[in-house]
């Protein structure tokens, strides 16, 4: 609360007589009330005026930079409310991405090309962000195809958290043979002789997939810094200016946050990161959160400008109270100790004023969790902290009402864009029509934030999630929703900006085109409010500003942003895209 008050006071103190540093004119601007404008002025790091081009251009002086948007759409910078952004940065330079390609043939060609330049001891890795239904072939690759593409180089392909594929060289590198056993809840597919085939199955627990990723060679500190720079630049080129980081498995704080922390300390962090902390050791969650709370305050700025913040706990609070988003397997039951452990950790958060978020896919899990939250609310009001469920694909109307009564929010992502076909196959088209019930959430006036769940489950491309929300279709073209569960384009944009700002407690300072808000802005290469829906996924930014500073330019409106140094290691796929 104190942080938001400080921002409001700072905005109020902005001199109305100060000449703008920037004026962007001849733009297509629509605020969330549906009002249209053509120009916006920025003074220091803040939006200082919004209106028509003629009126705002009259405010300029000889030092004001004038940018002609050439009729382009200008939006608040996107804020991905559920992006594993810090972990994504750690691995980006090593990953061959299949995001957005339309054929398996092309995907296998990318593996073949990367294998040819990958040195001995290293891997080709495709770590999520794709669905077989995006391919013309509409199928998964086979192990035989991976063996043909990379006969001598280890390859691992992750599909969501449902399964994975290892080629023969990969199995040899990991020592997987007929005697190998997968972790409980996962399994190796085996041939008629009992030998692993290279297919890894989460049934439903993805432990075998986490385990495999953890065994792949890591990058050193210099390479991770390069990787994080390149990943954040890519996000800026998509119009993303903020991310609410959801932690992640195999990703320890503060050790694995070193690259982002170093960029922040140098003043080189190009987008805003609000970090939720995710405990790594089952059974020790309470102790780990206690240690963090003794070290940090919630809303603690790790940079003077507030670009890197410790936000709270989650998306996982306790391992026992976590289900899995694997629609290719049966719904998991929560552990018997889940209620007791969740109760202790949530009470700790409320007592210390820490916001929290809880991963929950299924209504059955949410029912149990709400029983715990309601009991806590009787003793200590949950509304004293900001809290939310993540995902909530099958949440019922009854449980939505309970979330509303407790003052919670919901962070939704475009996971059904990647797994909708599998969901329909298991649970049916009728259940899919309300999974998740986007419109019902909004009708109840529950705070809703939109995000991607990139990088391992879904793509980090926000326009994939936006496309899903406004068309109701998977990336394979399957119509999942009726009109009453599809968002109009302005509403979807609001959830990806203002809605996400609620989740990080920033709604008073960013997420809308209003005077006094931070000048986190993106000028897009197409009009997302007017173009054919099938063009949405290819949207790029031509210009991105964070705090009134140009952090990305394609070169169309102002000189192009300087190129980053080549990605490290030198054989990184990023250098050959």
């Amino acid at each position: 609360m104190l942080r938001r008050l400080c921002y409001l006071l700072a905005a109020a103190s902005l001199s109305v007589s100060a000449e703008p540093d920037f004026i962007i004119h001849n733009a297509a601007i629509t605020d969330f009330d549906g009002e249209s404008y053509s120009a916006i002025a920025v003074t220091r790091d803040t939006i200082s005026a919004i209106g028509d081009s003629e009126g705002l251009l009259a405010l300029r002086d000889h030092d004001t930079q004038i940018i002609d948007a050439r009729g382009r759409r200008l939006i608040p910078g996107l804020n991905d409310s559920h992006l594993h952004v810090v972990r994504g940065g750690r691995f980006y330079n090593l990953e061959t991405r299949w995001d957005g390609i339309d054929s398996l043939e092309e995907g296998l060609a990318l593996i073949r090309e990367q294998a040819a330049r990958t040195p001995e001891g290293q891997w080709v890795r495709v770590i999520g962000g794709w669905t077989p239904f995006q391919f013309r072939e509409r199928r998964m690759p086979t192990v035989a195809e991976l063996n043909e593409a990379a006969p001598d180089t280890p390859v691992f392909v992750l599909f969501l958290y449902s399964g994975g594929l290892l080629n023969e060289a990969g199995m040899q590198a990991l020592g997987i043979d007929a005697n190998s056993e997968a972790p409980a809840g996962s399994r190796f597919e085996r041939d008629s002789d009992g030998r692993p085939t290279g297919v890894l199955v989460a049934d439903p627990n993805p432990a075998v997939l986490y385990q495999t990723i953890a065994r792949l060679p890591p990058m050193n500190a210099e390479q991770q810094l390069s990787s994080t720079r390149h990943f954040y630049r890519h996000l800026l080129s998509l119009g993303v200016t903020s991310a609410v980081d959801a932690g992640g498995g195999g990703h320890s704080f503060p050790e694995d946050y070193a690259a982002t922390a170093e960029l922040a300390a140098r003043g080189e962090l190009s987008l805003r990161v609000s970090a939720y902390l995710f405990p790594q050791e089952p059974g020790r969650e309470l102790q780990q959160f206690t240690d963090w709370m003794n070290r940090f305050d919630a809303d603690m700025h790790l940079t003077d400008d507030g670009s890197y913040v410790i936000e709270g706990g989650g998306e996982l609070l306790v391992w026992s109270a976590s289900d899995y988003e694997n629609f290719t397997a049966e719904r998991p039951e929560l552990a018997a100790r889940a209620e007791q452990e969740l109760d202790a950790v949530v009470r700790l958060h409320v007592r210390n004023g820490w916001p929290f978020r809880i991963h929950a896919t299924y209504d059955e899990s949410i029912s149990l969790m709400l029983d715990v939250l309601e009991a806590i609310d009787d003793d200590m009001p949950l509304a004293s902290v900001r809290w939310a469920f993540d995902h909530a694909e099958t949440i019922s109307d009854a449980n939505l009402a309970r979330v509303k009564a407790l003052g919670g929010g919901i962070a939704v992502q475009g996971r059904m864009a990647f797994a909708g076909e599998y969901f329909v196959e298991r649970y049916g088209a009728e259940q899919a029509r309300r999974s998740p019930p986007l419109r019902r959430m909004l009708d109840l006036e529950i705070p809703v934030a939109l995000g991607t769940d990139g990088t391992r489950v879904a793509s980090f491309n926000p326009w994939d999630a936006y496309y899903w929300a406004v068309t109701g279709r998977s990336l394979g073209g399957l119509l999942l929703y009726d009109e009453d569960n599809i968002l109009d384009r302005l509403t979807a944009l609001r959830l990806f900006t203002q809605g996400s700002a609620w989740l990080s407690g920033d709604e008073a300072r960013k997420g809308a085109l209003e005077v006094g808000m931070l000048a986190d802005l993106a000028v897009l290469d197409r009009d997302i409010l007017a173009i054919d829906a099938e063009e949405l996924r290819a949207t790029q930014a031509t210009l991105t500003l964070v705090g009134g500073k140009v952090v990305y330019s394609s070169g169309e409106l102002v000189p192009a942003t300087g190129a980053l140094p080549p990605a490290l290691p030198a054989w990184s796929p990023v250098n050959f895209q």
Side-chain angles (χ1 to χ4, degrees):
M1 183 64 70
L2 179 59
R3 178 173 63 165
R4 292 194 291 278
L5 179 60
C6 289
Y7 291 132
L8 287 171
L9 292 173
S13 69
L14 185 68
S15 172
V16 295
S17 63
E19 291 79 7
D21 298 311
F22 280 100
I23 296 175
I24 304 175
H25 71 106
N26 192 19
I29 301 172
T30 306
D31 68 19
F32 292 135
D33 293 323
E35 297 294 326
S36 296
Y37 306 91
S38 60
I40 195 165
V42 174
T43 303
R44 297 193 287 276
D45 64 350
T46 303
I47 297 172
S48 53
I50 183 168
D52 66 89
S53 293
E54 182 180 359
L56 262 62
L57 286 172
L59 301 176
R60 65 183 169 183
D61 73 355
H62 62 280
D63 292 323
T64 302
Q65 182 175 354
I66 306 299
I67 300 174
D68 184 350
R70 303 180 189 177
R72 298 292 196 190
R73 172 64 60 185
L74 184 150
I75 65 169
L78 297 181
N79 184 354
D80 192 328
S81 63
H82 189 118
L83 177 61
H84 299 275
V85 63
V86 178
R87 188 179 67 184
R90 281 176 59 208
F91 295 102
Y92 177 74
N93 280 5
L94 294 182
E95 294 177 354
T96 298
R97 303 294 304 184
W98 282 357
D99 308 52
I101 66 172
D102 62 6
S103 76
L104 178 57
E105 179 182 9
E106 181 182 352
L108 292 169
L110 290 173
I111 287 178
R112 187 177 300 110
E113 293 162 6
Q114 184 58 31
R117 53 182 171 252
T118 299
E120 185 175 355
Q122 294 291 341
W123 285 65
V124 177
R125 51 187 96 183
V126 179
I127 308 294
W130 60 278
T131 168
F133 298 101
Q134 77 191 45
F135 300 145
R136 290 193 296 269
E137 298 88 345
R138 300 186 74 80
R139 66 173 179 84
M140 299 276 286
T142 66
V143 171
E145 288 171 325
L146 298 184
N147 288 336
E148 187 279 329
D152 302 312
T153 305
V155 176
F156 176 53
V157 176
L158 175 72
F159 172 53
L160 307 175
Y161 276 134
S162 298
L165 299 168
L166 291 166
N167 68 345
E168 183 63 35
M171 288 202 292
Q172 290 178 4
L174 296 179
I176 296 175
D177 58 25
N179 297 316
S180 299
E181 295 293 336
S186 304
R187 60 184 173 87
F188 297 123
E189 181 185 86
R190 298 178 185 270
D191 63 19
S192 58
D193 295 322
R195 294 173 298 192
T197 64
V199 177
L200 313 180
V201 182
D203 195 17
N205 190 323
V208 68
L209 308 175
Y210 284 127
Q211 182 184 82
T212 302
I213 293 170
R215 296 180 67 186
L216 304 184
M219 287 187 282
N220 62 33
E222 182 184 14
Q223 291 167 344
Q224 287 186 40
L225 196 65
S226 167
S227 182
T228 300
R229 280 199 180 99
H230 278 272
F231 183 44
Y232 291 2
R233 171 68 66 86
H234 192 160
L235 291 172
L236 293 168
S237 77
L238 296 169
V240 177
T241 56
S242 292
V244 189
D245 187 275
H251 183 61
S252 298
F253 181 84
E255 298 84 356
D256 293 328
Y257 290 65
T260 291
E262 182 169 346
L263 289 176
R266 293 180 179 184
E268 299 175 11
L269 190 60
S270 53
L271 52 78
R272 303 182 193 277
V273 177
S274 298
Y276 278 78
L277 304 185
F278 185 121
Q280 298 300 309
E281 297 180 52
R284 293 196 69 253
E285 300 93 340
L286 184 65
Q287 184 59 56
Q288 189 152 35
F289 278 121
T290 299
D291 292 344
W292 284 331
M293 289 177 192
N294 286 338
R295 183 173 178 183
F296 300 104
D297 294 326
D299 276 6
M300 178 171 181
H301 293 195
L302 300 181
T303 55
D304 291 339
D305 64 359
S307 61
Y308 184 32
V309 180
I310 298 299
E311 200 66 55
E315 67 178 286
L316 182 143
L317 291 181
V318 294
W319 286 82
S320 57
S322 179
D323 54 18
Y324 306 108
E325 62 277 12
N326 181 1
F327 302 138
T328 67
E330 293 288 342
R331 178 184 61 81
E333 298 291 342
L334 299 187
R337 63 186 186 280
E339 293 175 86
Q340 179 181 354
E341 293 184 350
L342 182 63
D343 180 273
V345 168
V346 171
R347 287 180 184 276
L348 179 71
H349 279 72
V350 177
R351 190 161 51 246
N352 286 277
W354 269 50
F356 64 90
R357 56 197 300 180
I358 308 177
H359 167 105
T361 302
Y362 300 101
D363 191 55
E364 292 82 354
S365 304
I366 292 169
S367 291
L368 180 146
M369 294 170 182
L370 285 169
D371 289 343
V372 173
L373 297 180
E374 287 167 344
I376 295 171
D377 190 62
D378 288 340
D379 301 332
M380 45 176 62
L382 288 183
S384 64
V385 299
R386 196 153 300 206
W387 71 273
F389 281 119
D390 279 289
H391 315 309
E393 274 86 0
T394 71
I395 190 169
S396 63
D397 285 356
N399 280 339
L400 285 175
R402 297 170 73 187
V403 172
K404 171 68 174 177
L406 291 170
I410 300 177
V412 296
Q413 304 81 39
R415 302 195 308 181
M416 289 287 280
F418 292 83
E421 287 85 354
Y422 295 102
F423 187 97
V424 169
E425 181 179 356
R426 179 166 295 277
Y427 298 109
E430 185 64 30
Q431 176 63 59
R433 287 189 185 97
R434 65 174 319 280
S435 297
L438 295 170
R439 274 286 170 198
R440 184 61 178 154
M441 294 174 188
L442 295 177
D443 289 345
L444 289 171
E445 299 183 343
I446 294 171
V448 177
L450 188 57
T452 63
D453 204 2
T455 59
R456 293 180 181 174
V457 170
S459 172
F460 54 79
N461 181 357
W463 302 109
D464 284 346
Y466 185 83
Y467 168 86
W468 159 79
V470 303
T471 67
R473 293 185 181 275
S474 73
L475 299 191
L478 178 64
L479 182 61
L480 297 164
Y481 309 133
D482 297 329
E483 284 296 324
D484 61 1
N485 198 35
I486 294 173
L487 303 182
D488 66 82
R489 297 190 189 192
L490 195 60
T491 296
L493 180 61
R494 178 173 61 81
L495 300 188
F496 233 134
T497 55
Q498 199 173 63
S500 298
W502 178 91
L503 190 66
S504 59
D506 289 320
E507 69 273 25
R509 68 160 186 157
K510 67 181 178 181
L513 299 175
E514 298 176 4
V515 172
M517 289 284 187
L518 284 171
D520 294 357
L521 309 169
V523 180
L524 305 179
D525 67 352
R526 63 202 69 199
D527 190 346
I528 60 166
L529 301 185
I531 60 172
D532 184 272
E534 295 308 313
E535 296 182 43
L536 288 170
R537 295 176 55 213
T539 300
Q540 299 279 321
T542 61
L543 180 67
T544 306
L545 281 70
V546 174
K549 296 179 181 178
V550 174
V551 289
Y552 171 78
S553 170
S554 68
E556 179 183 356
L557 305 181
V558 300
T561 315
L564 292 174
L568 298 176
W571 51 270
S572 166
V574 173
N575 291 326
F576 302 92
Q577 293 173 345

